[in-house]
């Protein structure tokens, strides 16, 4: 017996297949409902009594909000310690660049934007700027030594390259094993671990390419330190 608001009705429960995306399934069902409404008598109506995707969408929106707030706070902290808006902009540009590259890799791997992958990206906001800060600060030091912008960018990157690689690989060896945890838990954590590893490696690549290039063109000439 099925009743809706005290009136007899016909109930239909639709569950997504194992491995299917809940939000996409709900969107497809809603599209089909709109099509059916045009082909049934006006005396019939459709109502959704329970939609589990609302909780999933709410969680994803919350993580996205936290991600934006994290980027803003990260920028303020960088501005406070680096004391120059140009340096802050250069470092902050490494965050969206690394994330967009990560999104492309996730697409190739068949990953979706869910709570697990977005949580990994939110965790990475601080990690993504580590390599860029180290490289940029060393370039800044070479500029103060009187080197030309391009030469300072190349020397600053090459000099600190081994340390930046060590920083990145330390994060990789910590998070990579998470992607290979067996069982049901491993199925949930696979996207988390691989997303962190991919984004971290992209941050290293960006710090060796985009950051020196922007530093060579954007950083103002520095006062040369006198050598006694």
């Amino acid at each position: 017996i099925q009743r809706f608001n005290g009136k007899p009705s016909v109930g239909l429960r639709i569950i997504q297949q194992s491995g299917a995306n809940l939000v996409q399934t709900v969107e497809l069902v809603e599209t089909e409902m709109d099509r059916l409404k045009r082909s049934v008598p006006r005396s019939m109506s459709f109502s959704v009594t329970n939609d589990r995707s609302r909780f999933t969408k709410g969680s994803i929106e919350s993580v996205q909000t936290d991600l934006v707030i994290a980027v803003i706070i990260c920028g303020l902290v960088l501005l406070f310690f680096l004391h120059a808006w140009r340096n802050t902009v250069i470092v902050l540009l490494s965050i969206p660049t690394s994330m967009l590259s990560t999104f492309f890799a996730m697409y190739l791997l068949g990953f979706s934007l869910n709570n697990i992958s977005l949580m990994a990206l939110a965790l990475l906001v601080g990690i993504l700027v580590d390599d860029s800060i180290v490289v940029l600060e060393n370039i800044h030091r070479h500029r103060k030594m009187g080197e030309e912008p391009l030469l300072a960018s190349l020397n600053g990157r090459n000099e600190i390259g081994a340390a930046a690689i060590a920083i990145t690989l330390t994060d990789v060896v910590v998070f990579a094993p998470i992607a290979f945890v067996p069982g049901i838990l491993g199925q949930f954590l696979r996207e988390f671990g691989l997303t962190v590893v991919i984004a971290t490696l992209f941050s290293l690549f960006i710090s060796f390419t985009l950051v020196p290039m922007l530093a060579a063109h954007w950083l103002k000439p520095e006062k040369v330190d006198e050598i006694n």
Side-chain angles (χ1 to χ4, degrees):
I1 299 175
Q2 176 78 27
R3 289 188 177 90
F4 180 68
N5 291 335
K7 299 179 180 180
S9 60
V10 176
L12 180 64
R13 183 181 182 186
I14 300 176
I15 304 175
Q16 82 275 17
Q17 292 181 339
S18 177
N21 186 288
L22 175 61
V23 177
Q24 291 180 351
T25 302
V26 172
E27 291 176 351
L28 291 173
V29 170
E30 291 176 345
T31 301
E32 187 66 18
M33 285 177 58
D34 292 337
R35 189 187 67 83
L36 290 175
K37 288 178 181 178
R38 295 192 295 267
S39 60
V40 298
R42 294 184 178 180
S43 59
M44 295 181 60
S45 62
F46 294 90
S47 299
V48 178
T49 59
N50 185 24
D51 182 4
R52 291 194 299 118
S53 69
R54 290 181 299 175
F55 303 102
T56 302
K57 292 178 181 177
S59 299
I60 293 177
E61 290 175 358
S62 177
V63 175
Q64 289 175 336
T65 302
D66 293 341
L67 187 60
V68 173
I69 294 174
V71 172
I72 294 174
I73 295 177
C74 182
L76 294 176
V77 171
L78 290 173
L79 184 61
F80 178 79
F81 284 98
L82 297 181
H83 307 295
W85 69 268
R86 292 176 184 268
N87 295 351
T88 301
V89 171
I90 291 174
V91 175
L92 280 181
L93 282 176
S94 63
I95 297 178
T97 307
S98 300
M99 285 193 173
L100 289 174
S101 304
T102 304
F103 288 152
F104 180 71
M106 292 170 62
Y107 171 77
L108 295 179
L109 293 173
F111 294 171
S112 61
L113 288 179
N114 49 45
N115 284 338
I116 301 298
S117 59
L118 285 174
M119 183 173 61
L121 293 174
L123 172 69
L124 284 168
V125 172
I127 299 176
L128 292 179
V129 298
D130 288 349
D131 297 330
S132 298
I133 291 174
V134 171
V135 173
L136 185 62
E137 279 298 295
N138 204 45
I139 294 174
H140 181 75
R141 185 178 69 86
H142 279 266
R143 293 286 284 120
K144 294 185 68 175
M145 293 167 57
E147 295 183 2
E148 294 297 324
L150 181 59
L151 182 61
S153 299
L154 292 174
N155 291 338
R157 182 199 65 183
N158 295 335
E159 188 177 73
I160 208 70
I165 293 174
I167 293 172
T168 302
L169 293 183
T170 301
D171 294 330
V172 170
V173 298
V174 170
F175 288 100
I178 297 178
F180 303 99
V181 174
I184 300 297
L185 182 61
Q187 295 180 12
F188 285 100
L189 295 180
R190 180 172 176 268
E191 291 190 13
F192 178 85
L194 291 180
T195 300
V196 172
V197 169
I198 293 170
T200 305
L201 292 176
F202 271 123
S203 72
L204 176 65
F205 177 75
I206 296 300
S207 69
F208 278 17
T209 54
L210 180 65
V211 171
M213 181 189 70
L214 295 178
H217 292 280
W218 286 5
L219 293 186
K220 291 184 176 180
E222 296 287 345
K223 182 180 179 181
V224 180
D225 291 339
E226 296 182 358
I227 302 177
N228 298 325

